[in-house]
Amino acid sequence: MHKDLAGLEAPGCDLPQTRRGHERRLALLLSANALFLERGFDAVSLDDIVHHAGGSKASIYKYFGNKVGLFTAICDYRREIFLEGICVPFKPGKDQLKGYLTSTLITFSRHITDPEHIAFMRLVIEQSQKNPEVALYLHEQGPKRIQQAIASALSRTAEQGQIVCPDPMYSAMMYFGILRNFEWQIIMGLQQQFSEQEIIEYIQYCVERFLDGHRQI
């Protein structure tokens, strides 16, 4: 985890060239991550991060540009961890589409129930309202990437004549809508009404209906 964090590059900023520089950059990332989750983005100053991590504000400007750049770098790391197991390339001839779609949603459902992910998503939603550029960047690198992975699987299966899918991206958006209600309940802090097994059964049911809509009549 820490090694991956140290290697994240902020656009337009420098990556450290020495071990000490990597350690300083890593300390700033870890401290900012912890403080943002604990207090919220607006309540944390650059001085707070420096006091927690050590070093100086000059290092933040050098490696991240500013506080938003630091936040974006953390989002990049957390996004890659979240997408692991979700944006898995579909392999025609090896993977069955039904199993691929089902396992993707099951993995997605487990990721969105992680307490730290929930806390960070609330933070992301709050900041997205204040910074449209950050919102667009996070959407392009997160939800859109996931949708494109599913759209690719649908398109390749359609090319083989196994399903009918004239607009794979629209279908991918519909597919992820299967868990939208659960996701918003979790983010809004509503009590979970279903067990993990019930969610799996719901996913299996919805994937069946989803594929029914893409079969030749």
PDB file of all heavy atoms in Angstrom, residues 15-51:
ATOM      1  N   LEU A  15       8.190  14.268  -9.031  1.00  0.00           N
ATOM      2  CA  LEU A  15       8.323  13.071  -8.217  1.00  0.00           C
ATOM      3  C   LEU A  15       9.674  13.128  -7.518  1.00  0.00           C
ATOM      4  O   LEU A  15      10.656  13.588  -8.108  1.00  0.00           O
ATOM      5  CB  LEU A  15       8.241  11.809  -9.085  1.00  0.00           C
ATOM      6  CG  LEU A  15       6.846  11.284  -9.417  1.00  0.00           C
ATOM      7  CD1 LEU A  15       6.951  10.092 -10.362  1.00  0.00           C
ATOM      8  CD2 LEU A  15       6.092  10.884  -8.157  1.00  0.00           C
ATOM      9  N   PRO A  16       9.744  12.694  -6.269  1.00  0.00           N
ATOM     10  CA  PRO A  16      11.021  12.745  -5.550  1.00  0.00           C
ATOM     11  C   PRO A  16      12.073  11.869  -6.210  1.00  0.00           C
ATOM     12  O   PRO A  16      11.764  10.816  -6.747  1.00  0.00           O
ATOM     13  CB  PRO A  16      10.657  12.251  -4.149  1.00  0.00           C
ATOM     14  CG  PRO A  16       9.387  11.491  -4.315  1.00  0.00           C
ATOM     15  CD  PRO A  16       8.659  12.135  -5.444  1.00  0.00           C
ATOM     16  N   GLN A  17      13.321  12.315  -6.142  1.00  0.00           N
ATOM     17  CA  GLN A  17      14.427  11.588  -6.758  1.00  0.00           C
ATOM     18  C   GLN A  17      15.291  10.868  -5.727  1.00  0.00           C
ATOM     19  O   GLN A  17      16.203  10.122  -6.113  1.00  0.00           O
ATOM     20  CB  GLN A  17      15.301  12.571  -7.555  1.00  0.00           C
ATOM     21  CG  GLN A  17      14.543  13.312  -8.645  1.00  0.00           C
ATOM     22  CD  GLN A  17      13.912  12.368  -9.663  1.00  0.00           C
ATOM     23  OE1 GLN A  17      14.578  11.456 -10.162  1.00  0.00           O
ATOM     24  NE2 GLN A  17      12.640  12.590  -9.982  1.00  0.00           N
ATOM     25  N   THR A  18      15.033  11.077  -4.475  1.00  0.00           N
ATOM     26  CA  THR A  18      15.829  10.439  -3.423  1.00  0.00           C
ATOM     27  C   THR A  18      14.921   9.636  -2.499  1.00  0.00           C
ATOM     28  O   THR A  18      13.697   9.825  -2.474  1.00  0.00           O
ATOM     29  CB  THR A  18      16.575  11.492  -2.584  1.00  0.00           C
ATOM     30  OG1 THR A  18      15.604  12.302  -1.882  1.00  0.00           O
ATOM     31  CG2 THR A  18      17.420  12.392  -3.477  1.00  0.00           C
ATOM     32  N   ARG A  19      15.538   8.742  -1.759  1.00  0.00           N
ATOM     33  CA  ARG A  19      14.764   7.947  -0.794  1.00  0.00           C
ATOM     34  C   ARG A  19      14.108   8.847   0.247  1.00  0.00           C
ATOM     35  O   ARG A  19      12.951   8.652   0.607  1.00  0.00           O
ATOM     36  CB  ARG A  19      15.698   6.941  -0.105  1.00  0.00           C
ATOM     37  CG  ARG A  19      14.991   6.084   0.933  1.00  0.00           C
ATOM     38  CD  ARG A  19      15.934   5.074   1.534  1.00  0.00           C
ATOM     39  NE  ARG A  19      15.270   4.287   2.568  1.00  0.00           N
ATOM     40  CZ  ARG A  19      15.866   3.318   3.258  1.00  0.00           C
ATOM     41  NH1 ARG A  19      17.145   3.026   3.027  1.00  0.00           N
ATOM     42  NH2 ARG A  19      15.193   2.660   4.186  1.00  0.00           N
ATOM     43  N   ARG A  20      14.851   9.842   0.710  1.00  0.00           N
ATOM     44  CA  ARG A  20      14.292  10.763   1.702  1.00  0.00           C
ATOM     45  C   ARG A  20      13.102  11.519   1.131  1.00  0.00           C
ATOM     46  O   ARG A  20      12.100  11.730   1.804  1.00  0.00           O
ATOM     47  CB  ARG A  20      15.375  11.744   2.154  1.00  0.00           C
ATOM     48  CG  ARG A  20      14.902  12.705   3.235  1.00  0.00           C
ATOM     49  CD  ARG A  20      16.004  13.649   3.633  1.00  0.00           C
ATOM     50  NE  ARG A  20      15.552  14.602   4.638  1.00  0.00           N
ATOM     51  CZ  ARG A  20      16.281  15.613   5.097  1.00  0.00           C
ATOM     52  NH1 ARG A  20      17.512  15.805   4.630  1.00  0.00           N
ATOM     53  NH2 ARG A  20      15.792  16.446   6.003  1.00  0.00           N
ATOM     54  N   GLY A  21      13.203  11.901  -0.144  1.00  0.00           N
ATOM     55  CA  GLY A  21      12.096  12.594  -0.780  1.00  0.00           C
ATOM     56  C   GLY A  21      10.863  11.706  -0.886  1.00  0.00           C
ATOM     57  O   GLY A  21       9.738  12.160  -0.647  1.00  0.00           O
ATOM     58  N   HIS A  22      11.060  10.432  -1.257  1.00  0.00           N
ATOM     59  CA  HIS A  22       9.945   9.494  -1.322  1.00  0.00           C
ATOM     60  C   HIS A  22       9.296   9.332   0.049  1.00  0.00           C
ATOM     61  O   HIS A  22       8.060   9.287   0.156  1.00  0.00           O
ATOM     62  CB  HIS A  22      10.437   8.131  -1.821  1.00  0.00           C
ATOM     63  CG  HIS A  22      10.495   8.026  -3.309  1.00  0.00           C
ATOM     64  ND1 HIS A  22       9.376   7.862  -4.090  1.00  0.00           N
ATOM     65  CD2 HIS A  22      11.549   8.083  -4.168  1.00  0.00           C
ATOM     66  CE1 HIS A  22       9.725   7.808  -5.364  1.00  0.00           C
ATOM     67  NE2 HIS A  22      11.041   7.939  -5.443  1.00  0.00           N
ATOM     68  N   GLU A  23      10.114   9.234   1.076  1.00  0.00           N
ATOM     69  CA  GLU A  23       9.580   9.062   2.430  1.00  0.00           C
ATOM     70  C   GLU A  23       8.793  10.298   2.866  1.00  0.00           C
ATOM     71  O   GLU A  23       7.737  10.180   3.501  1.00  0.00           O
ATOM     72  CB  GLU A  23      10.722   8.778   3.396  1.00  0.00           C
ATOM     73  CG  GLU A  23      11.369   7.411   3.187  1.00  0.00           C
ATOM     74  CD  GLU A  23      12.590   7.197   4.052  1.00  0.00           C
ATOM     75  OE1 GLU A  23      13.088   8.196   4.636  1.00  0.00           O
ATOM     76  OE2 GLU A  23      13.061   6.043   4.135  1.00  0.00           O
ATOM     77  N   ARG A  24       9.287  11.476   2.513  1.00  0.00           N
ATOM     78  CA  ARG A  24       8.587  12.712   2.884  1.00  0.00           C
ATOM     79  C   ARG A  24       7.252  12.805   2.148  1.00  0.00           C
ATOM     80  O   ARG A  24       6.217  13.149   2.725  1.00  0.00           O
ATOM     81  CB  ARG A  24       9.470  13.919   2.553  1.00  0.00           C
ATOM     82  CG  ARG A  24       8.834  15.252   2.958  1.00  0.00           C
ATOM     83  CD  ARG A  24       9.753  16.420   2.645  1.00  0.00           C
ATOM     84  NE  ARG A  24      10.990  16.338   3.404  1.00  0.00           N
ATOM     85  CZ  ARG A  24      12.202  16.235   2.851  1.00  0.00           C
ATOM     86  NH1 ARG A  24      12.315  16.193   1.536  1.00  0.00           N
ATOM     87  NH2 ARG A  24      13.269  16.190   3.605  1.00  0.00           N
ATOM     88  N   ARG A  25       7.258  12.477   0.854  1.00  0.00           N
ATOM     89  CA  ARG A  25       6.029  12.524   0.060  1.00  0.00           C
ATOM     90  C   ARG A  25       5.006  11.518   0.567  1.00  0.00           C
ATOM     91  O   ARG A  25       3.811  11.796   0.671  1.00  0.00           O
ATOM     92  CB  ARG A  25       6.366  12.245  -1.414  1.00  0.00           C
ATOM     93  CG  ARG A  25       5.200  12.433  -2.376  1.00  0.00           C
ATOM     94  CD  ARG A  25       5.683  12.237  -3.814  1.00  0.00           C
ATOM     95  NE  ARG A  25       4.656  12.604  -4.771  1.00  0.00           N
ATOM     96  CZ  ARG A  25       3.691  11.796  -5.178  1.00  0.00           C
ATOM     97  NH1 ARG A  25       3.621  10.563  -4.698  1.00  0.00           N
ATOM     98  NH2 ARG A  25       2.785  12.206  -6.058  1.00  0.00           N
ATOM     99  N   LEU A  26       5.482  10.331   0.894  1.00  0.00           N
ATOM    100  CA  LEU A  26       4.606   9.287   1.420  1.00  0.00           C
ATOM    101  C   LEU A  26       3.986   9.713   2.731  1.00  0.00           C
ATOM    102  O   LEU A  26       2.789   9.521   2.962  1.00  0.00           O
ATOM    103  CB  LEU A  26       5.399   7.993   1.601  1.00  0.00           C
ATOM    104  CG  LEU A  26       4.685   6.827   2.285  1.00  0.00           C
ATOM    105  CD1 LEU A  26       3.443   6.419   1.495  1.00  0.00           C
ATOM    106  CD2 LEU A  26       5.631   5.642   2.437  1.00  0.00           C
ATOM    107  N   ALA A  27       4.792  10.310   3.611  1.00  0.00           N
ATOM    108  CA  ALA A  27       4.286  10.756   4.915  1.00  0.00           C
ATOM    109  C   ALA A  27       3.192  11.803   4.743  1.00  0.00           C
ATOM    110  O   ALA A  27       2.180  11.791   5.463  1.00  0.00           O
ATOM    111  CB  ALA A  27       5.431  11.322   5.750  1.00  0.00           C
ATOM    112  N   LEU A  28       3.359  12.697   3.772  1.00  0.00           N
ATOM    113  CA  LEU A  28       2.341  13.717   3.514  1.00  0.00           C
ATOM    114  C   LEU A  28       1.047  13.083   3.011  1.00  0.00           C
ATOM    115  O   LEU A  28      -0.053  13.462   3.450  1.00  0.00           O
ATOM    116  CB  LEU A  28       2.861  14.724   2.482  1.00  0.00           C
ATOM    117  CG  LEU A  28       3.995  15.646   2.951  1.00  0.00           C
ATOM    118  CD1 LEU A  28       4.601  16.371   1.764  1.00  0.00           C
ATOM    119  CD2 LEU A  28       3.488  16.640   3.999  1.00  0.00           C
ATOM    120  N   LEU A  29       1.152  12.108   2.114  1.00  0.00           N
ATOM    121  CA  LEU A  29      -0.034  11.427   1.600  1.00  0.00           C
ATOM    122  C   LEU A  29      -0.782  10.691   2.702  1.00  0.00           C
ATOM    123  O   LEU A  29      -2.006  10.790   2.819  1.00  0.00           O
ATOM    124  CB  LEU A  29       0.377  10.445   0.503  1.00  0.00           C
ATOM    125  CG  LEU A  29       0.539  11.016  -0.905  1.00  0.00           C
ATOM    126  CD1 LEU A  29       1.281  10.030  -1.801  1.00  0.00           C
ATOM    127  CD2 LEU A  29      -0.805  11.356  -1.510  1.00  0.00           C
ATOM    128  N   LEU A  30      -0.056   9.945   3.499  1.00  0.00           N
ATOM    129  CA  LEU A  30      -0.696   9.162   4.565  1.00  0.00           C
ATOM    130  C   LEU A  30      -1.336  10.061   5.609  1.00  0.00           C
ATOM    131  O   LEU A  30      -2.438   9.792   6.088  1.00  0.00           O
ATOM    132  CB  LEU A  30       0.327   8.231   5.220  1.00  0.00           C
ATOM    133  CG  LEU A  30       0.883   7.112   4.344  1.00  0.00           C
ATOM    134  CD1 LEU A  30       1.967   6.336   5.087  1.00  0.00           C
ATOM    135  CD2 LEU A  30      -0.224   6.162   3.914  1.00  0.00           C
ATOM    136  N   SER A  31      -0.646  11.134   5.953  1.00  0.00           N
ATOM    137  CA  SER A  31      -1.189  12.056   6.950  1.00  0.00           C
ATOM    138  C   SER A  31      -2.426  12.768   6.425  1.00  0.00           C
ATOM    139  O   SER A  31      -3.436  12.897   7.129  1.00  0.00           O
ATOM    140  CB  SER A  31      -0.126  13.084   7.357  1.00  0.00           C
ATOM    141  OG  SER A  31       0.930  12.457   8.059  1.00  0.00           O
ATOM    142  N   ALA A  32      -2.371  13.229   5.180  1.00  0.00           N
ATOM    143  CA  ALA A  32      -3.528  13.907   4.598  1.00  0.00           C
ATOM    144  C   ALA A  32      -4.714  12.959   4.500  1.00  0.00           C
ATOM    145  O   ALA A  32      -5.854  13.343   4.802  1.00  0.00           O
ATOM    146  CB  ALA A  32      -3.167  14.445   3.212  1.00  0.00           C
ATOM    147  N   ASN A  33      -4.468  11.737   4.088  1.00  0.00           N
ATOM    148  CA  ASN A  33      -5.538  10.740   3.998  1.00  0.00           C
ATOM    149  C   ASN A  33      -6.223  10.551   5.352  1.00  0.00           C
ATOM    150  O   ASN A  33      -7.453  10.572   5.454  1.00  0.00           O
ATOM    151  CB  ASN A  33      -4.966   9.419   3.500  1.00  0.00           C
ATOM    152  CG  ASN A  33      -6.024   8.338   3.361  1.00  0.00           C
ATOM    153  OD1 ASN A  33      -6.933   8.435   2.552  1.00  0.00           O
ATOM    154  ND2 ASN A  33      -5.917   7.295   4.173  1.00  0.00           N
ATOM    155  N   ALA A  34      -5.420  10.372   6.388  1.00  0.00           N
ATOM    156  CA  ALA A  34      -5.968  10.156   7.730  1.00  0.00           C
ATOM    157  C   ALA A  34      -6.723  11.382   8.240  1.00  0.00           C
ATOM    158  O   ALA A  34      -7.829  11.270   8.797  1.00  0.00           O
ATOM    159  CB  ALA A  34      -4.841   9.791   8.703  1.00  0.00           C
ATOM    160  N   LEU A  35      -6.163  12.573   8.033  1.00  0.00           N
ATOM    161  CA  LEU A  35      -6.794  13.791   8.534  1.00  0.00           C
ATOM    162  C   LEU A  35      -8.069  14.132   7.769  1.00  0.00           C
ATOM    163  O   LEU A  35      -9.060  14.583   8.356  1.00  0.00           O
ATOM    164  CB  LEU A  35      -5.802  14.956   8.455  1.00  0.00           C
ATOM    165  CG  LEU A  35      -4.610  14.881   9.412  1.00  0.00           C
ATOM    166  CD1 LEU A  35      -3.626  16.007   9.128  1.00  0.00           C
ATOM    167  CD2 LEU A  35      -5.075  14.931  10.870  1.00  0.00           C
ATOM    168  N   PHE A  36      -8.060  13.943   6.443  1.00  0.00           N
ATOM    169  CA  PHE A  36      -9.264  14.214   5.657  1.00  0.00           C
ATOM    170  C   PHE A  36     -10.410  13.310   6.103  1.00  0.00           C
ATOM    171  O   PHE A  36     -11.563  13.758   6.213  1.00  0.00           O
ATOM    172  CB  PHE A  36      -8.997  13.990   4.172  1.00  0.00           C
ATOM    173  CG  PHE A  36      -8.107  15.027   3.540  1.00  0.00           C
ATOM    174  CD1 PHE A  36      -7.425  14.742   2.363  1.00  0.00           C
ATOM    175  CD2 PHE A  36      -7.949  16.285   4.105  1.00  0.00           C
ATOM    176  CE1 PHE A  36      -6.606  15.690   1.762  1.00  0.00           C
ATOM    177  CE2 PHE A  36      -7.126  17.239   3.524  1.00  0.00           C
ATOM    178  CZ  PHE A  36      -6.454  16.937   2.344  1.00  0.00           C
ATOM    179  N   LEU A  37     -10.114  12.034   6.363  1.00  0.00           N
ATOM    180  CA  LEU A  37     -11.156  11.110   6.801  1.00  0.00           C
ATOM    181  C   LEU A  37     -11.652  11.455   8.203  1.00  0.00           C
ATOM    182  O   LEU A  37     -12.827  11.312   8.505  1.00  0.00           O
ATOM    183  CB  LEU A  37     -10.630   9.669   6.774  1.00  0.00           C
ATOM    184  CG  LEU A  37     -10.449   9.031   5.396  1.00  0.00           C
ATOM    185  CD1 LEU A  37      -9.839   7.640   5.530  1.00  0.00           C
ATOM    186  CD2 LEU A  37     -11.781   8.947   4.657  1.00  0.00           C
ATOM    187  N   GLU A  38     -10.748  11.918   9.043  1.00  0.00           N
ATOM    188  CA  GLU A  38     -11.107  12.214  10.435  1.00  0.00           C
ATOM    189  C   GLU A  38     -11.890  13.516  10.570  1.00  0.00           C
ATOM    190  O   GLU A  38     -12.880  13.581  11.304  1.00  0.00           O
ATOM    191  CB  GLU A  38      -9.827  12.294  11.274  1.00  0.00           C
ATOM    192  CG  GLU A  38     -10.059  12.648  12.728  1.00  0.00           C
ATOM    193  CD  GLU A  38      -8.770  12.853  13.505  1.00  0.00           C
ATOM    194  OE1 GLU A  38      -7.694  12.477  13.001  1.00  0.00           O
ATOM    195  OE2 GLU A  38      -8.839  13.399  14.630  1.00  0.00           O
ATOM    196  N   ARG A  39     -11.465  14.566   9.837  1.00  0.00           N
ATOM    197  CA  ARG A  39     -12.034  15.896  10.059  1.00  0.00           C
ATOM    198  C   ARG A  39     -12.808  16.457   8.865  1.00  0.00           C
ATOM    199  O   ARG A  39     -13.578  17.405   9.023  1.00  0.00           O
ATOM    200  CB  ARG A  39     -10.906  16.890  10.401  1.00  0.00           C
ATOM    201  CG  ARG A  39     -10.018  16.475  11.555  1.00  0.00           C
ATOM    202  CD  ARG A  39      -8.941  17.514  11.772  1.00  0.00           C
ATOM    203  NE  ARG A  39      -7.876  17.049  12.648  1.00  0.00           N
ATOM    204  CZ  ARG A  39      -6.750  17.729  12.882  1.00  0.00           C
ATOM    205  NH1 ARG A  39      -6.577  18.912  12.303  1.00  0.00           N
ATOM    206  NH2 ARG A  39      -5.819  17.225  13.675  1.00  0.00           N
ATOM    207  N   GLY A  40     -12.566  15.904   7.684  1.00  0.00           N
ATOM    208  CA  GLY A  40     -13.130  16.485   6.480  1.00  0.00           C
ATOM    209  C   GLY A  40     -12.101  17.357   5.779  1.00  0.00           C
ATOM    210  O   GLY A  40     -11.171  17.864   6.405  1.00  0.00           O
ATOM    211  N   PHE A  41     -12.276  17.545   4.481  1.00  0.00           N
ATOM    212  CA  PHE A  41     -11.292  18.274   3.675  1.00  0.00           C
ATOM    213  C   PHE A  41     -11.133  19.722   4.134  1.00  0.00           C
ATOM    214  O   PHE A  41     -10.023  20.209   4.338  1.00  0.00           O
ATOM    215  CB  PHE A  41     -11.717  18.230   2.205  1.00  0.00           C
ATOM    216  CG  PHE A  41     -10.782  18.941   1.272  1.00  0.00           C
ATOM    217  CD1 PHE A  41      -9.677  18.298   0.758  1.00  0.00           C
ATOM    218  CD2 PHE A  41     -11.020  20.262   0.894  1.00  0.00           C
ATOM    219  CE1 PHE A  41      -8.807  18.946  -0.123  1.00  0.00           C
ATOM    220  CE2 PHE A  41     -10.166  20.914   0.032  1.00  0.00           C
ATOM    221  CZ  PHE A  41      -9.053  20.261  -0.484  1.00  0.00           C
ATOM    222  N   ASP A  42     -12.242  20.435   4.288  1.00  0.00           N
ATOM    223  CA  ASP A  42     -12.173  21.870   4.588  1.00  0.00           C
ATOM    224  C   ASP A  42     -11.608  22.159   5.965  1.00  0.00           C
ATOM    225  O   ASP A  42     -11.021  23.229   6.183  1.00  0.00           O
ATOM    226  CB  ASP A  42     -13.568  22.491   4.468  1.00  0.00           C
ATOM    227  CG  ASP A  42     -14.068  22.511   3.033  1.00  0.00           C
ATOM    228  OD1 ASP A  42     -13.221  22.519   2.109  1.00  0.00           O
ATOM    229  OD2 ASP A  42     -15.297  22.497   2.826  1.00  0.00           O
ATOM    230  N   ALA A  43     -11.769  21.226   6.890  1.00  0.00           N
ATOM    231  CA  ALA A  43     -11.317  21.457   8.264  1.00  0.00           C
ATOM    232  C   ALA A  43      -9.822  21.198   8.445  1.00  0.00           C
ATOM    233  O   ALA A  43      -9.274  21.460   9.519  1.00  0.00           O
ATOM    234  CB  ALA A  43     -12.110  20.583   9.234  1.00  0.00           C
ATOM    235  N   VAL A  44      -9.177  20.693   7.415  1.00  0.00           N
ATOM    236  CA  VAL A  44      -7.745  20.376   7.502  1.00  0.00           C
ATOM    237  C   VAL A  44      -6.951  21.396   6.695  1.00  0.00           C
ATOM    238  O   VAL A  44      -7.224  21.617   5.516  1.00  0.00           O
ATOM    239  CB  VAL A  44      -7.458  18.955   6.966  1.00  0.00           C
ATOM    240  CG1 VAL A  44      -5.963  18.659   6.990  1.00  0.00           C
ATOM    241  CG2 VAL A  44      -8.210  17.918   7.792  1.00  0.00           C
ATOM    242  N   SER A  45      -5.975  22.008   7.329  1.00  0.00           N
ATOM    243  CA  SER A  45      -5.114  22.974   6.644  1.00  0.00           C
ATOM    244  C   SER A  45      -3.799  22.315   6.246  1.00  0.00           C
ATOM    245  O   SER A  45      -3.455  21.224   6.730  1.00  0.00           O
ATOM    246  CB  SER A  45      -4.823  24.168   7.561  1.00  0.00           C
ATOM    247  OG  SER A  45      -4.018  23.748   8.662  1.00  0.00           O
ATOM    248  N   LEU A  46      -3.053  23.003   5.385  1.00  0.00           N
ATOM    249  CA  LEU A  46      -1.734  22.496   5.029  1.00  0.00           C
ATOM    250  C   LEU A  46      -0.829  22.455   6.250  1.00  0.00           C
ATOM    251  O   LEU A  46       0.006  21.549   6.396  1.00  0.00           O
ATOM    252  CB  LEU A  46      -1.105  23.365   3.935  1.00  0.00           C
ATOM    253  CG  LEU A  46      -1.790  23.346   2.566  1.00  0.00           C
ATOM    254  CD1 LEU A  46      -1.008  24.197   1.575  1.00  0.00           C
ATOM    255  CD2 LEU A  46      -1.938  21.922   2.046  1.00  0.00           C
ATOM    256  N   ASP A  47      -1.001  23.409   7.143  1.00  0.00           N
ATOM    257  CA  ASP A  47      -0.216  23.408   8.384  1.00  0.00           C
ATOM    258  C   ASP A  47      -0.524  22.163   9.219  1.00  0.00           C
ATOM    259  O   ASP A  47       0.375  21.576   9.835  1.00  0.00           O
ATOM    260  CB  ASP A  47      -0.504  24.670   9.205  1.00  0.00           C
ATOM    261  CG  ASP A  47       0.118  25.914   8.597  1.00  0.00           C
ATOM    262  OD1 ASP A  47       1.191  25.793   7.965  1.00  0.00           O
ATOM    263  OD2 ASP A  47      -0.470  27.001   8.740  1.00  0.00           O
ATOM    264  N   ASP A  48      -1.806  21.764   9.257  1.00  0.00           N
ATOM    265  CA  ASP A  48      -2.190  20.560  10.001  1.00  0.00           C
ATOM    266  C   ASP A  48      -1.479  19.327   9.425  1.00  0.00           C
ATOM    267  O   ASP A  48      -0.984  18.474  10.170  1.00  0.00           O
ATOM    268  CB  ASP A  48      -3.704  20.334   9.919  1.00  0.00           C
ATOM    269  CG  ASP A  48      -4.499  21.382  10.662  1.00  0.00           C
ATOM    270  OD1 ASP A  48      -3.975  21.936  11.646  1.00  0.00           O
ATOM    271  OD2 ASP A  48      -5.654  21.639  10.254  1.00  0.00           O
ATOM    272  N   ILE A  49      -1.446  19.249   8.104  1.00  0.00           N
ATOM    273  CA  ILE A  49      -0.831  18.092   7.447  1.00  0.00           C
ATOM    274  C   ILE A  49       0.665  18.067   7.728  1.00  0.00           C
ATOM    275  O   ILE A  49       1.234  17.019   8.055  1.00  0.00           O
ATOM    276  CB  ILE A  49      -1.099  18.134   5.928  1.00  0.00           C
ATOM    277  CG1 ILE A  49      -2.598  18.000   5.663  1.00  0.00           C
ATOM    278  CG2 ILE A  49      -0.335  17.019   5.211  1.00  0.00           C
ATOM    279  CD1 ILE A  49      -3.017  18.281   4.228  1.00  0.00           C
ATOM    280  N   VAL A  50       1.301  19.215   7.615  1.00  0.00           N
ATOM    281  CA  VAL A  50       2.743  19.302   7.874  1.00  0.00           C
ATOM    282  C   VAL A  50       3.046  18.980   9.334  1.00  0.00           C
ATOM    283  O   VAL A  50       4.017  18.278   9.638  1.00  0.00           O
ATOM    284  CB  VAL A  50       3.275  20.701   7.493  1.00  0.00           C
ATOM    285  CG1 VAL A  50       4.697  20.896   8.000  1.00  0.00           C
ATOM    286  CG2 VAL A  50       3.210  20.898   5.987  1.00  0.00           C
ATOM    287  N   HIS A  51       2.233  19.494  10.234  1.00  0.00           N
ATOM    288  CA  HIS A  51       2.432  19.207  11.662  1.00  0.00           C
ATOM    289  C   HIS A  51       2.303  17.712  11.939  1.00  0.00           C
ATOM    290  O   HIS A  51       3.047  17.152  12.749  1.00  0.00           O
ATOM    291  CB  HIS A  51       1.410  19.983  12.490  1.00  0.00           C
ATOM    292  CG  HIS A  51       1.511  19.726  13.962  1.00  0.00           C
ATOM    293  ND1 HIS A  51       2.530  20.247  14.738  1.00  0.00           N
ATOM    294  CD2 HIS A  51       0.722  18.979  14.808  1.00  0.00           C
ATOM    295  CE1 HIS A  51       2.375  19.838  16.000  1.00  0.00           C
ATOM    296  NE2 HIS A  51       1.291  19.077  16.060  1.00  0.00           N
TER     297      HIS A  51
END
